[in-house]
Each structure stands twice: as C-alpha cells, then as structure tokens.
Amino acid sequence: GQISQAMSTLKVNTITNTSGNPDVVNMGKIVQVVQNFSNGVTSTDNSSSYVDCMSSPSFTFTSGNKILVQCNLVVGVRYGYGCKFRLATNNGEISGALGTTGGSREQVTKGGYISNWDLELANVVINYLDSPADSVTQYKVKWKSYGSQIVVLNRAYDDANNSGYTRTTSSITLYEIAA
C-alpha cells in the first residue's frame, strides 16, 4: 500500500520567546564569548574550605539569556589523594551545579580521587548551562584539597626539571546564548 502525505499550515498572530520578546530569529544564537586562559601555576593545600581556583573575566549579559560555562582544568595531585571542585558565580556557589546529598558525602560539581602517580595530570572538565540572576558578573571554579595535600593547577605534583614533565594550560569560557 501507499502512504498518503499531507501538508499543514500553522497560522498565528504573534510568537514570543521565553523572555517575552517577539524576536524569535535570534533565539539560541551565541551573542557573546568571554574566556580566561591561563598557563600560570597555582596551588592550594586548603582542605577545610573552598577557595578560588580560576575565574572568568567580568562580563555583562542581557537579562533572560542563558550562560554556557565550560571549564577545562589540568590538575596535579599527590599520589593517593584527590581534589573537589564547585562551580560558583560572584553571588556564591551554584546549587544546581552540585551533586545530590548522600549521608556524609560532600556535594561537588566535580572531584574525587585523582592521582595514581605524583607525575600524573588529571583533566577536569565542567560544562554547565546556567540561567543566571541579573546580578551575575563572573563565574569561578573553587577547589579544596584532601587531607591538606597540595593540589596544583597546570603542572603535576612532582615537577622534576626534565623533558618528561610538562606545564599545561587551563581555561574557563562563557557563552551567552540568546533566549
């Protein structure tokens, strides 16, 4: 048998986007990109509270738009230890970017046991689509070590001066997406 196909026409008076704006042509388009790219080496041994690891540049955005946050961090940790990360804005930590609660387990964006060797590097990737408050002007990744052990950004824990060891880069990139 044959299948019959018919075309239909949808007619409406107006269409508005989620911000109440009649401009639906630009919905979903990237309207701004800002990035902080770092080759600098920083570290923390703070295991009692989260401290700033890396921040985006300050920026402004159109109310109602979304922000896609992409973080690519390269981290070195002492053998047998790890690190915890939380995504935050200038207003504080983003609760929607944290894992669920579970007994004594800590809610984090990323983290856990990282290192098998002192010369190993871990790639920590965070992707989060945010619907920020109008007062947000910056995103940041905060970090906390395990057991007061040093965690290092952009190099391995063991940092011998020979060609087998490397120095790396990390970045945080924000994409403003029209709503």
Side-chain angles (χ1 to χ4, degrees):
Q2 289 185 327
I3 298 175
S4 163
Q5 294 184 2
M7 296 292 285
S8 297
T9 302
L10 174 66
K11 293 183 180 184
V12 297
N13 292 330
T14 61
I15 296 177
T16 57
N17 64 22
T18 57
S19 299
N21 185 331
D23 177 10
V24 294
V25 173
N26 291 315
M27 286 175 43
K29 290 186 178 179
I30 296 173
V31 295
Q32 174 183 201
V33 178
V34 296
Q35 182 182 66
N36 183 9
F37 183 86
S38 173
N39 62 3
V41 173
T42 59
S43 65
T44 187
D45 62 358
N46 191 328
S47 60
S48 60
S49 63
Y50 285 87
V51 295
D52 289 355
C53 172
M54 190 168 186
S55 299
S56 74
S58 293
F59 72 105
T60 59
F61 67 98
T62 302
S63 179
N65 284 354
K66 296 191 179 296
I67 304 295
L68 176 60
V69 183
Q70 292 187 329
C71 305
N72 295 290
L73 310 173
V74 182
V75 179
V77 181
R78 185 171 180 205
Y79 170 72
Y81 289 90
C83 186
K84 303 170 187 176
F85 299 89
R86 286 186 173 176
L87 187 60
T89 70
N90 54 291
N91 292 341
E93 292 175 357
I94 303 171
S95 61
L98 297 175
T100 61
T101 59
S104 298
R105 295 168 194 88
E106 190 168 350
Q107 292 177 275
V108 298
T109 304
K110 288 279 180 153
Y113 177 79
I114 289 177
S115 181
N116 289 320
W117 303 102
D118 289 352
L119 53 82
E120 183 177 27
L121 292 167
N123 290 301
V124 177
V125 177
I126 298 171
N127 290 294
Y128 185 74
L129 183 62
D130 195 20
S131 299
D134 291 347
S135 57
V136 169
T137 59
Q138 188 176 51
Y139 284 83
K140 55 182 81 175
V141 176
K142 297 177 151 253
W143 59 354
K144 181 167 87 167
S145 74
Y146 286 179
S148 299
Q149 293 297 316
I150 292 175
V151 182
V152 187
L153 185 70
N154 292 333
R155 77 166 178 87
Y157 175 83
D158 188 356
D159 192 38
N161 187 16
N162 70 53
S163 63
Y165 293 80
T166 60
R167 296 292 173 94
T168 65
T169 61
S170 295
S171 64
I172 180 169
T173 308
L174 309 179
Y175 301 85
E176 179 182 355
I177 301 172

